[in-house]
Amino acid sequence: MSRYRILPSKQGDEVIAIVNSMGGTPISELYTVYAALAEQAEQHGVKIVRRLIGHYITSLEMAGVSITLVKADEEILHFYDAPVNTPALRWGA
């Protein structure tokens, strides 16, 4: 049995996954964390439909990672997929 749990998602749910560095965790480790998250999601029947991996909300080179799962539906994905052009994020613009 895995020590990780995907909660409160249930089989068939679609989610947006955000893997965020607290500042001191390198991007290579964030992708390792994401790979483990994706594996667990698949085993639990949860589909990751969008992902965001990087240094977004940090705290002065603090070690660690935060994982956020947002349950996705058509409306949430519509807004997520809208063009973005900020210093931290850019897509579709």
Side-chain angles (χ1 to χ4, degrees), residues 3-61:
R3 64 185 179 141
Y4 303 104
R5 294 203 160 206
I6 306 287
L7 296 176
S9 300
K10 63 184 182 304
Q11 189 167 355
D13 280 353
E14 293 185 338
V15 298
I16 297 169
I18 303 167
V19 178
N20 175 67
S21 169
M22 301 309 279
T25 306
I27 196 77
S28 59
E29 290 183 26
L30 297 180
Y31 276 93
T32 300
V33 169
Y34 176 77
L37 172 64
E39 181 180 322
Q40 288 298 307
E42 184 177 344
Q43 288 178 6
H44 288 86
V46 174
K47 183 177 181 183
I48 298 174
V49 294
R50 304 288 188 281
R51 68 177 184 242
L52 194 58
I53 304 165
H55 304 269
Y56 298 105
I57 301 172
T58 64
S59 181
L60 298 173
E61 298 302 315

